[in-house]
């Protein structure tokens, strides 16, 4: 059986935990996020006929006081960068994290999830920067924790990228 | 040699050939010999060259072999010159060693002894550099080892102290004392009881689960998530509390949560976490460490290149399973001494109770026996009810007090409840007692038993004998016979003399006169004095006397007046004696009238003797 460590990274309050909550198996309380700074969940995804177990490291969001512990990223096979579509600055944080991850552990498959796609009316991220990121090879998926839009696809896409 | 003889044969066996052919053949043989010499070093030494001195051949040789010869010379120079040879080998040595190592493990086997010797020599020569190399390595190793063993000792010590003052501790002390082993051994025996419930083999960097084995019936959450969280927590602890500069810093290696214990053994590539219930022995650390070391040794490659596919690591379950150790507290098959003590105590108490009961029964038996043999006592019931003996029966109040017999049998009133109904016994002994109590025999009288007959012997005054007779006459039928025949009626001679003297006195009267004639005063004085003496003597003998004054009249006149006259005569004498100091209650009066004449005659003289007063003495107690 194949298993992969996948990190979920992003700015504080972008809805990382909420986003994956409905799609994963979980046994640990969210208190771990504030204490240890990480919470482990599990998700099984099928690529072709082969099941792949994703061990998800939901890492505490980054804010002014606390940056992502790079130790937690070591050994990952891929990661999600989560940004909040209604807060443009979270995209910058995601970009910054991506740079640090690449510097720390090298290039890994990753996807940028722009969350809160259900709140189109208060959308804050312009199309330009996203398109330029896509052009530079970033995979971008618009997701909604509320409706579940794009989440399953994002898991499949990242798994496919890690396994291939 | 074969080839040599062929060459010789070729050289010598050409005599029959033509001279030219022979020469050609000889040359060929020489050439072949030369070739052989150049190939075989031994041959070159044994056979001198036969080609010398042929300028044509030399020219040809130098022409054909010039380049090879230069190359050969250069090579030879390199091989012959140690410096150059060493340089040449040093260029390829590393590669050669790598190839040899990759091919099989002979290189290690070949090099090991030499390396060992070299190390010995180096250490003997100067130990300093080795110390310098080992120091940073040895320090942490020793520190960790000491810390771990101290930790174990402290934990056991702590447990021992905790147990010292508990009921369990006291029990263990007793066990140590009984079995002759030390207290520490006993504590160890009882505390080292554990079960390894889970083993997680985790890739150190990613936290991915390489293998999970669990003891039967051990429960756990999803091992993948547990493994990830464990790694995250290890990272967290390492980041938060480790020294930044310490490259080999370690995370949690022991964590206790109530009854559960988490032990982590860290290797460079993988982490072995054991979830243990209870108190494992320190030796389990060794087992975990060796297992992890074995996995590292055998699976270094696959571990380094692990990409999430556990299949590449082969069968890890069989490697980890031996670590799923457990030690159960052996069931204590020995019977607790208390189990022996209880029946023993029951036996002892039961025995003591039985013995006590038997003793009491025996005493009651002997008591009842004594009662039965006691005259005047009839035992009608002797039985044990609710642990107490009850004795009931009839008892003559004059019989021996049962309390005396009970005390002789060493029984208390609490042990025997008695109920006696009084009755009058006809048992000779009791009857004799009763006689003695009622008659109060005077000194000199003894009562004794002869069979069922009570015999009175000795001397007794008449009045007592009279009383005894009266009593015997009133005895119920069936009472023992009482024999008074042996009693002697012995009276005091003074008493008899005085009594007889008193009874001999007669006071005569004139006809129809109630008062004695003048001149009888002397007689009356004598009677009074004798009576006083008699009373005194009788009192001295233990009884009293009474005097009956009987008045008589002669037959003349009417009978009724005669009766009154005789009564008057007796009354007069009584009052005359009274006036002479005699106590009146001792003086009784009776009028006989004419009924008891002295002389039955109508003659005058004779009649005068009938007009009189006489005295009769009676005795009483």
């Amino acid at each position: 059986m194949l298993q992969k460590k996948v990190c979920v990274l992003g700015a504080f309050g972008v809805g990382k935990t909420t986003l994956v909550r409905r799609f994963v198996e979980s046994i640990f309380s969210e208190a771990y996020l504030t204490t240890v700074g990480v919470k482990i969940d599990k998700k099984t995804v099928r690529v072709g006929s082969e099941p792949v177990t994703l061990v998800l490291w939901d890492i505490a969001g980054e804010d002014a006081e606390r940056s992502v512990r790079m130790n937690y990223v070591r050994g990952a096979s891929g990661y999600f960068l989560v940004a909040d579509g209604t807060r443009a600055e979270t995209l910058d944080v995601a970009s910054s994290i991506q740079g640090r991850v690449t510097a720390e552990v090298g290039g890994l498959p990753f996807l940028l999830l722009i969350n809160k796609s259900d709140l189109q009316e208060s959308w804050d991220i312009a199309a330009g920067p996203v398109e330029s990121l896509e052009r530079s090879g970033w995979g971008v998926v618009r997701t909604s924790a509320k409706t579940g839009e794009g989440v399953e696809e994002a898991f499949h896409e990242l798994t496919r990228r890690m396994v291939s | 040699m074969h080839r040599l003889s062929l060459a010789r044969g070729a050289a010598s066996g050409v005599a029959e050939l033509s001279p030219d052919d022979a020469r050609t053949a000889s040359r060929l043989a020489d050439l072949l010999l030369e070739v052989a010499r150049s190939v075989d070093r031994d041959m070159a030494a044994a056979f001198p060259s036969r080609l010398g001195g042929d300028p044509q051949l030399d020219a040809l040789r130098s022409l054909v072999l010039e380049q090879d010869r230069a190359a050969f010379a250069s090579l030879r120079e390199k091989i012959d010159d140690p410096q150059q040879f060493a340089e040449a080998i040093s260029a390829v040595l590393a590669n050669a060693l790598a190839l040899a190592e990759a091919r099989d493990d002979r290189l290690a086997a070949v090099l090991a002894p030499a390396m060992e010797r070299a190390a010995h020599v180096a250490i003997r020569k100067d130990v300093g550099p080795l110390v310098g190399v080992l120091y940073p390595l040895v320090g942490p190793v020793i520190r960790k080892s000491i810390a771990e063993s101290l930790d174990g000792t402290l934990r056991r010590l702590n447990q021992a102290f905790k147990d010292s003052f508990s009921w369990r501790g006291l029990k263990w002390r007793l066990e140590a004392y009984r079995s002759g082993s030390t207290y520490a051994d006993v504590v160890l025996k009882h505390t080292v009881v554990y079960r390894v419930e889970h083993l997680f083999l985790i890739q150190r960097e990613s936290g991915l689960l390489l293998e999970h084995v669990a003891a039967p019936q051990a429960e756990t959450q999803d091992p993948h998530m547990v493994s990830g969280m464990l790694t995250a927590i290890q990272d967290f602890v390492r980041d938060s509390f480790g020294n930044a500069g310490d490259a080999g810093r370690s995370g949690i290696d022991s964590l206790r949560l109530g009854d559960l214990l988490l032990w982590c053994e860290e290797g460079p590539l993988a982490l072995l976490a054991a979830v243990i219930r209870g108190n494992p022995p320190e030796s389990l650390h060794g087992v975990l460490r060796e297992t992890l070391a074995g996995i590292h040794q055998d699976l270094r490659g696959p571990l380094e290149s692990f990409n999430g596919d556990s299949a590449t690591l082969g069968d890890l379950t069989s490697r980890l399973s031996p670590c799923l150790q457990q030690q159960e507290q052996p069931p204590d098959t020995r019977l607790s001494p208390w189990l022996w003590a209880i029946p023993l105590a029951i036996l002892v108490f039961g025995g003591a109770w039985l013995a006590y009961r038997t003793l009491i029964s025996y005493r009651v038996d002997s008591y009842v026996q004594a009662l039965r043999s006691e005259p005047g006592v009839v035992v009608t019931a002797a039985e044990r009810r609710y642990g107490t003996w009850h004795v009931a029966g009839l008892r003559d109040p004059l019989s021996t007090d049962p309390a005396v017999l009970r005390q002789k049998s060493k029984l208390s009133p609490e042990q025997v409840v008695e109920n006696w109904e009084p009755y009058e016994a006809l048992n000779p002994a009791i009857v004799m007692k009763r006689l003695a109590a009622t008659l109060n025999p005077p000194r000199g009288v003894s009562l004794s038993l002869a069979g069922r007959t009570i015999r009175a012997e000795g001397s007794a005054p008449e009045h007592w004998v009279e009383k005894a007779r009266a009593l015997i006459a009133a005895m119920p039928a069936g009472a023992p016979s009482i024999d008074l025949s042996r009693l002697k009626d012995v009276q005091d001679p003074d008493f008899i003399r005085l009594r007889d003297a008193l009874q001999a006195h007669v006071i005569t009267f004139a006809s129809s006169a109630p008062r004695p004639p003048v001149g009888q005063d002397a007689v009356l004085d004598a009677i009074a004095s004798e009576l006083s003496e008699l009373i005194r003597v009788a009192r001295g003998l233990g009884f009293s006397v009474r005097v009956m004054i009987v008045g008589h009249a002669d037959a003349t006149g009417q009978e009724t007046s005669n009766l009154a006259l005789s009564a008057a005569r007796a009354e007069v004498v009584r009052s005359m004696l009274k006036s002479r100091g005699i106590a009146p209650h001792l003086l009784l009066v009776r009028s006989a009238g004419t009924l008891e004449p002295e002389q039955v005659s109508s003659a005058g003289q004779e009649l005068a003797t009938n007009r009189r007063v006489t005295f009769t003495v009676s005795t009483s107690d």
Side-chain angles (χ1 to χ4, degrees), chain B residues 524 527-528 573-582 587 615:
Chain B
L524 280 166
I527 287 170
V573 172
R574 181 176 180 255
S575 68
M576 291 173 100
L577 287 176
K578 193 175 141 192
S579 67
R580 283 173 173 77
I582 305 299
L587 301 170
F615 302 90

Side-chain angles (χ1 to χ4, degrees), chain B residues 361-505:
Chain B
S361 287
Y362 171 76
R363 284 178 180 174
V364 169
D365 274 353
S366 74
Y367 173 48
V368 171
Q369 210 59 45
L371 284 172
R372 283 188 206 282
S373 62
E374 192 62 32
V377 176
V378 179
V379 178
T380 56
E383 59 185 8
R384 198 168 169 278
R385 280 204 305 269
Y386 307 113
T388 312
W389 281 91
H390 292 259
V391 176
L394 304 171
R395 175 183 169 247
D396 191 297
L398 294 180
S399 64
T400 311
D401 186 357
V404 176
L405 298 174
R406 199 184 57 223
Q407 277 174 6
K408 274 189 191 164
S409 296
K410 294 173 185 165
L411 288 167
S412 69
E414 291 78 33
Q415 287 163 334
V416 183
V417 176
E418 291 170 82
N419 183 24
W420 298 110
E421 285 296 322
Y423 84 112
E424 188 182 331
L426 294 181
N427 181 288
I430 295 296
V431 171
M432 191 169 81
K433 259 192 188 176
R434 179 162 285 111
L435 279 180
T438 316
L439 292 173
N440 189 21
R443 288 188 302 270
V445 175
S446 68
L447 297 172
S448 64
L449 267 178
R452 280 189 62 78
T453 302
I454 300 166
R455 188 171 290 155
E457 284 174 293
S459 307
E462 190 189 355
H463 72 274
W464 186 85
V465 178
E466 287 304 321
K467 204 166 77 177
R469 286 216 173 86
L471 188 70
I472 291 162
M475 294 268 280
S481 58
I482 299 158
D483 179 11
L484 300 179
S485 61
R486 300 193 181 201
L487 273 179
K488 277 184 223 154
D489 188 3
V490 176
Q491 293 290 25
D492 187 76
D494 285 342
F495 176 77
I496 291 167
R497 178 182 51 80
L498 286 166
R499 185 193 63 185
D500 291 351
L502 192 65
Q503 289 184 152
H505 287 292

Side-chain angles (χ1 to χ4, degrees), chain B residues 284-333:
Chain B
L284 185 65
H285 264 310
V287 175
L288 296 177
R289 226 171 279 147
E290 278 166 28
T291 304
L292 189 63
I295 289 170
H296 272 85
Q297 191 178 337
D298 299 345
L299 298 172
R300 177 171 284 278
L303 279 175
E304 278 171 339
S305 59
F306 180 70
N307 66 348
D309 186 1
S310 342
T312 57
L313 297 171
D315 177 22
L316 285 170
T317 311
S318 59
R319 281 176 167 274
L320 294 181
S321 296
C323 297
L324 284 179
Q325 297 185 350
Q326 64 173 341
Q327 183 189 331
E328 279 171 19
Q329 197 162 4
D332 196 357
T333 48

Side-chain angles (χ1 to χ4, degrees), chain A residues 1-5 25-28 32 35-42 50 53 55 57 69-77 105, chain B residues 203-210 221-222 224-233 235-236 238-240 249 306-311:
Chain A
M1 192 191 59
L2 201 55
Q3 45 174 333
K4 298 288 181 190
K5 172 177 174 178
E25 294 173 48
S26 190
I27 55 172
F28 299 110
Y32 286 90
T35 51
V36 183
V38 66
K39 172 175 172 285
I40 312 288
D41 300 315
K42 194 176 94 168
E50 194 188 4
T53 300
V55 178
W57 288 50
R69 282 176 188 271
M70 279 301 148
N71 262 346
Y72 290 157
V73 183
R74 272 191 289 121
S77 299
V105 295
Chain B
Q203 194 196 21
R204 197 169 160 175
E205 191 176 44
S206 66
L208 289 178
L209 182 70
L210 302 174
Q221 303 281 10
D222 187 289
H224 288 97
M225 284 191 261
V226 171
S227 157
M229 207 69 229
L230 212 55
T231 312
I233 292 171
D235 285 346
F236 172 73
R238 211 173 280 130
D239 277 1
S240 308
R249 63 202 162 164
F306 180 70
N307 66 348
D309 186 1
S310 342

Side-chain angles (χ1 to χ4, degrees), chain A:
Chain A
M1 192 191 59
L2 201 55
Q3 45 174 333
K4 298 288 181 190
K5 172 177 174 178
V6 173
C7 295
V8 184
L9 303 159
F12 183 77
V14 295
K16 296 190 307 297
T17 308
T18 327
L19 186 65
V20 297
R21 187 187 292 150
R22 282 165 55 194
F23 298 90
V24 299
E25 294 173 48
S26 190
I27 55 172
F28 299 110
S29 96
E30 276 155 34
Y32 286 90
L33 274 173
T34 48
T35 51
V36 183
V38 66
K39 172 175 172 285
I40 312 288
D41 300 315
K42 194 176 94 168
K43 166 84 179 165
T44 305
V45 174
R46 284 192 171 274
V47 176
S49 62
E50 194 188 4
V52 180
T53 300
L54 304 183
V55 178
L56 292 166
W57 288 50
D58 180 357
I59 295 168
E62 183 160 302
D63 56 20
E65 283 83 36
R66 187 156 72 165
S67 59
V68 169
R69 282 176 188 271
M70 279 301 148
N71 262 346
Y72 290 157
V73 183
R74 272 191 289 121
S77 299
Y79 57 97
F80 289 115
L81 288 168
V82 185
D84 182 350
T86 65
R87 286 193 289 151
E89 75 276 12
T90 60
L91 189 62
D92 302 333
V93 174
S95 180
S96 144
I97 292 172
Q98 195 271 341
R100 270 176 284 148
V101 170
T102 308
E104 178 79 18
V105 295
L108 288 178
F110 72 96
L111 283 182
L112 171 64
L113 309 181
I114 304 181
N115 199 21
K116 305 190 185 173
S117 65
D118 52 302
L119 297 175
Q120 282 298 335
E121 65 277 10
S122 47
W123 202 254
D124 192 25
I125 295 178
V130 177
E131 278 167 16
S132 78
L133 285 174
E134 279 181 309
R135 270 199 303 281
S136 64
W138 285 37
V140 181
V141 180
R142 283 173 181 75
T143 58
S144 165
K146 199 170 171 188
T147 64
E149 180 204 336
V151 183
E152 246 349 297
E153 294 87 320
F155 276 121
H156 273 97
E157 177 56 23
L158 182 66
T159 312
R160 201 187 51 71
R161 287 184 183 210
M162 288 187 301
V163 174
S164 60

